[in-house]
Amino acid sequence: MNNKLLLLTLPSSLLTLAAQAQERPNIVYIMTDDHTAQMMSCYGNSPIQTPNLDRIAEEGVRFSRSFVANSLSGPSRACMITGKHSHKNGFTNNEHGIFDGSQQTMPKLMQKAGYQTALIGKWHLVSTPTGFNHFDILLGQGEYYNPTFMHADGTRSREQGYCTDIITDKAIQWMEQRDTSQPFILFVHHKACHRDWLPNLDDMHLFEDKTFPLPANFHDNWEGRQAAQEQQMTIGSAHDMDLIYDNKIYSPGDKSRLSGAYLNNVNRLDSADRARYFLFHDSITAAFKANPPQGDALTEFKFQRYMRDYAKVTKSLDDNVGRLMKYLRESGLLENTLVVYTSDQGFYMGEHGWFDKRFMYEESLNTPLVMRLPDGYQRRGIVDEMVQNIDYAPTFLEMAGAPIPDDIQGRSLVPLLKEAKPNLKKKGSKWRDAIYYHFYEFPAEHMVKRHYGMRDSRWKLIHFYNDIDQWELYDLKKDPSEMHNLYGQPRYRKVQQKLHKRLRQLQEEYDDPIEEQLKQKQNK
Ligand code: SGN
Ligand code: CA
């Protein structure tokens, strides 16, 4: 039977479904780990080039104010997969969390709407993924070299190669053999650029003659910010940034807090590659040991090594995103596909003297977000409206033509994306004026205290609690690097009051019980 005849014989409900399947966009949702906007050239001021990521923005949109709800991997992933803040989805921190996969999630709702769902790469939510027709995931944080994957049938295998390449290969393979009668959503979730920034061996030599500029506040002394003073994520601290694990300064027999972890990771390479890896790093170690830097010079040496390794890992990531985009282009899928590129949070590239994330300060509250839009979505260029990772779930659902359940807390971005010039002043289409944030993982690695807060287009109010009770207030217009805590200064009394009120409203709107919990604790 030819196709036309086949269509004529199908009942009309099936015909509608078939037509819908063709019209509804596919979604390729690429998410990286710890990739930050300061290291993505379309965001400006990046010391490295990311041409393939930039191209997504050039052909689509780039969000200039894209935030997470909780700047840590598992919690961030739980927010995006449920469209809800951490206190609602229950996964508040990496160290004690197991994601309750029986709850409502976006992949399950997408399946219900007739989408095929697949997840490749980092998952990090501990429980077995639910709502996916197919998954192939890294264990926990995953490994850069010859990583082990857990497959959908529960079996595990160690695969030969570099993590970012393998995840891309698997994503393409899945699209090649998918059921083409249905639209799909594919999560491509990389380990790159997470600590300990182990490069693809072919990229090891890159950036070695580059000197990265120090951020202006690299030598911040955290005056007026107690939580910042008490963190453990400082590049200059021998405890926080490990010369062996993080900076790869190692000769056989050397030991440090994290040297065992370093060797475990590198020893995953087979012997020829391991020899190649050490041959390269031995010369850097020898030069270091011949003339070991001290004090600030040592801190700056560690910064340069950190930046180079991060840049190498990011180069491979950008190449692989290019490879995935080439596949989408050449297979004819691109025009009707929403391609999202984002990260689970931002990262400090030496700002305040730090690496890692967690704080509600701009570098890690922000996360890169660019999208190439499917047919029928007209918006292009920079989107300045404040968006958050709880918005992805409702966005994907609306694009799929599926209903958005009332208990989802994020907002669909479709109204921002549909028209070239959306009218957001119209009654009923006003966009949000502030976002809410809450970080819980304390006491824990890096020792960033618990805090919550709100940010609007100009101001930020943060409350650090648990073992302290400290407020911070920043004027992002005058002090974008958040060096001057204005809280309690008489000049800012009015604005402070206004922000407190808005923060309270946000906590009520999102139903975060923290204020009541703190009050109860005080009364005890
Ligand atoms: C690991 C890292 C930390 C990092 C957390 C969370 N330490 O524990 O530096 O903050 O992951 O990162 S390491 O010694 O194992 O490298 S997250 O992105 O997964 O939340
Ligand atoms: Ca992360």
Short mmCIF file of all heavy atoms in Angstrom, two decimals, residues 32-35 71-74 76-77 94 122 124 141 191 194 343-347 357, ligand 2:
data_model
loop_
_atom_site.label_atom_id
_atom_site.label_comp_id
_atom_site.label_asym_id
_atom_site.label_seq_id
_atom_site.Cartn_x
_atom_site.Cartn_y
_atom_site.Cartn_z
N THR A 32 25.03 21.09 30.64
CA THR A 32 26.38 20.74 31.08
C THR A 32 26.45 20.93 32.59
O THR A 32 25.49 21.36 33.22
CB THR A 32 27.42 21.62 30.38
OG1 THR A 32 26.95 22.96 30.41
CG2 THR A 32 27.58 21.19 28.95
N ASP A 33 27.61 20.62 33.12
CA ASP A 33 27.78 20.66 34.56
C ASP A 33 28.82 21.74 34.90
O ASP A 33 29.97 21.64 34.44
CB ASP A 33 28.29 19.28 35.02
CG ASP A 33 28.04 19.04 36.49
OD1 ASP A 33 27.63 19.99 37.18
OD2 ASP A 33 28.27 17.91 36.94
N ASP A 34 28.41 22.74 35.64
CA ASP A 34 29.36 23.78 36.08
C ASP A 34 29.93 24.62 34.94
O ASP A 34 30.99 25.22 35.09
CB ASP A 34 30.54 23.17 36.87
CG ASP A 34 30.14 22.52 38.18
OD1 ASP A 34 28.93 22.52 38.51
OD2 ASP A 34 31.03 22.03 38.90
N HIS A 35 29.25 24.65 33.78
CA HIS A 35 29.73 25.57 32.74
C HIS A 35 29.12 26.94 33.01
O HIS A 35 27.92 27.07 33.18
CB HIS A 35 29.36 25.10 31.34
CG HIS A 35 29.92 25.98 30.27
ND1 HIS A 35 29.27 26.27 29.10
CD2 HIS A 35 31.10 26.67 30.23
CE1 HIS A 35 30.02 27.08 28.37
NE2 HIS A 35 31.13 27.33 29.04
N SER A 71 21.85 26.53 43.60
CA SER A 71 23.04 26.40 42.76
C SER A 71 23.89 25.17 43.10
O SER A 71 25.00 25.27 43.61
CB SER A 71 23.88 27.67 42.89
OG SER A 71 24.94 27.65 41.97
N LEU A 72 23.35 24.00 42.78
CA LEU A 72 24.03 22.74 43.06
C LEU A 72 23.39 21.71 42.13
O LEU A 72 22.20 21.78 41.84
CB LEU A 72 23.78 22.37 44.52
CG LEU A 72 24.68 21.31 45.15
CD1 LEU A 72 26.12 21.80 45.20
CD2 LEU A 72 24.22 21.00 46.58
N SER A 73 24.20 20.73 41.73
CA SER A 73 23.76 19.83 40.65
C SER A 73 22.42 19.14 40.88
O SER A 73 21.45 19.38 40.16
CB SER A 73 24.84 18.78 40.42
OG SER A 73 24.37 17.73 39.63
N GLY A 74 22.37 18.23 41.86
CA GLY A 74 21.14 17.44 42.05
C GLY A 74 19.93 18.33 42.25
O GLY A 74 18.92 18.19 41.54
N SER A 76 19.43 21.39 41.41
CA SER A 76 19.11 22.14 40.21
C SER A 76 18.38 21.25 39.20
O SER A 76 17.39 21.64 38.57
CB SER A 76 20.41 22.69 39.62
OG SER A 76 20.15 23.28 38.39
N ARG A 77 18.86 20.01 39.06
CA ARG A 77 18.23 19.06 38.13
C ARG A 77 16.81 18.73 38.59
O ARG A 77 15.90 18.57 37.77
CB ARG A 77 19.07 17.78 38.04
CG ARG A 77 20.35 18.00 37.26
CD ARG A 77 21.44 16.97 37.56
NE ARG A 77 22.73 17.60 37.35
CZ ARG A 77 23.39 17.60 36.19
NH1 ARG A 77 22.91 16.94 35.16
NH2 ARG A 77 24.53 18.25 36.07
N ASN A 94 22.74 17.58 47.56
CA ASN A 94 23.39 16.40 46.96
C ASN A 94 23.71 15.33 47.99
O ASN A 94 23.70 14.15 47.67
CB ASN A 94 24.74 16.78 46.35
CG ASN A 94 24.60 17.45 44.99
OD1 ASN A 94 23.58 17.31 44.32
ND2 ASN A 94 25.62 18.19 44.59
N LYS A 122 24.84 12.65 32.55
CA LYS A 122 24.77 12.82 34.01
C LYS A 122 23.31 12.92 34.47
O LYS A 122 22.52 13.63 33.88
CB LYS A 122 25.55 14.07 34.44
CG LYS A 122 25.57 14.24 35.95
CD LYS A 122 26.56 15.28 36.43
CE LYS A 122 26.41 15.53 37.93
NZ LYS A 122 27.35 16.50 38.47
N HIS A 124 22.49 12.14 38.38
CA HIS A 124 22.84 12.66 39.71
C HIS A 124 21.68 12.79 40.68
O HIS A 124 21.76 13.53 41.66
CB HIS A 124 23.54 14.04 39.56
CG HIS A 124 24.52 14.30 40.66
ND1 HIS A 124 24.99 15.56 40.97
CD2 HIS A 124 25.09 13.47 41.56
CE1 HIS A 124 25.82 15.48 41.98
NE2 HIS A 124 25.90 14.23 42.35
N GLN A 141 28.59 11.31 39.91
CA GLN A 141 29.23 12.40 39.16
C GLN A 141 29.75 11.94 37.80
O GLN A 141 30.01 12.76 36.93
CB GLN A 141 30.42 12.95 39.97
CG GLN A 141 30.05 13.69 41.22
CD GLN A 141 29.47 15.05 40.91
OE1 GLN A 141 29.26 15.41 39.75
NE2 GLN A 141 29.20 15.82 41.95
N LYS A 191 28.95 15.63 31.69
CA LYS A 191 29.73 15.79 32.92
C LYS A 191 30.57 17.07 32.84
O LYS A 191 30.76 17.77 33.83
CB LYS A 191 30.64 14.59 33.15
CG LYS A 191 31.59 14.82 34.32
CD LYS A 191 32.53 13.66 34.55
CE LYS A 191 33.54 13.97 35.63
NZ LYS A 191 32.91 14.19 36.94
N HIS A 194 32.75 19.79 34.92
CA HIS A 194 32.85 19.62 36.38
C HIS A 194 34.29 19.36 36.83
O HIS A 194 35.10 18.85 36.05
CB HIS A 194 31.94 18.43 36.78
CG HIS A 194 31.63 18.36 38.25
ND1 HIS A 194 32.47 17.75 39.15
CD2 HIS A 194 30.58 18.84 38.94
CE1 HIS A 194 31.93 17.84 40.36
NE2 HIS A 194 30.79 18.49 40.27
N SER A 343 23.39 25.05 31.70
CA SER A 343 24.23 24.34 32.65
C SER A 343 23.44 24.18 33.94
O SER A 343 22.46 24.90 34.16
CB SER A 343 25.50 25.16 32.89
OG SER A 343 26.27 24.58 33.93
N ASP A 344 23.85 23.25 34.81
CA ASP A 344 23.09 23.06 36.05
C ASP A 344 23.27 24.23 37.02
O ASP A 344 22.50 24.38 37.94
CB ASP A 344 23.40 21.71 36.71
CG ASP A 344 24.84 21.58 37.16
OD1 ASP A 344 25.69 22.38 36.73
OD2 ASP A 344 25.13 20.66 37.94
N GLN A 345 24.28 25.02 36.82
CA GLN A 345 24.48 26.31 37.52
C GLN A 345 25.71 26.99 36.93
O GLN A 345 26.42 26.38 36.13
CB GLN A 345 24.66 26.22 39.03
CG GLN A 345 24.90 24.94 39.73
CD GLN A 345 26.18 24.18 39.55
OE1 GLN A 345 26.18 22.99 39.73
NE2 GLN A 345 27.28 24.82 39.19
N GLY A 346 25.97 28.23 37.39
CA GLY A 346 27.20 28.90 37.00
C GLY A 346 28.36 28.46 37.87
O GLY A 346 28.29 27.42 38.55
N PHE A 347 29.44 29.25 37.87
CA PHE A 347 30.66 28.84 38.56
C PHE A 347 31.53 30.07 38.76
O PHE A 347 31.44 31.03 38.01
CB PHE A 347 31.41 27.83 37.68
CG PHE A 347 32.14 26.75 38.45
CD1 PHE A 347 31.45 25.78 39.14
CD2 PHE A 347 33.54 26.70 38.46
CE1 PHE A 347 32.12 24.78 39.84
CE2 PHE A 347 34.21 25.69 39.15
CZ PHE A 347 33.50 24.73 39.83
N LYS A 357 30.53 26.93 43.36
CA LYS A 357 29.27 27.64 43.09
C LYS A 357 28.52 27.89 44.40
O LYS A 357 29.00 28.53 45.28
CB LYS A 357 28.42 26.82 42.11
CG LYS A 357 28.21 25.38 42.51
CD LYS A 357 29.18 24.45 41.86
CE LYS A 357 28.95 23.03 42.31
NZ LYS A 357 29.80 22.09 41.58
CA CA B 2 27.08 21.26 38.72
#
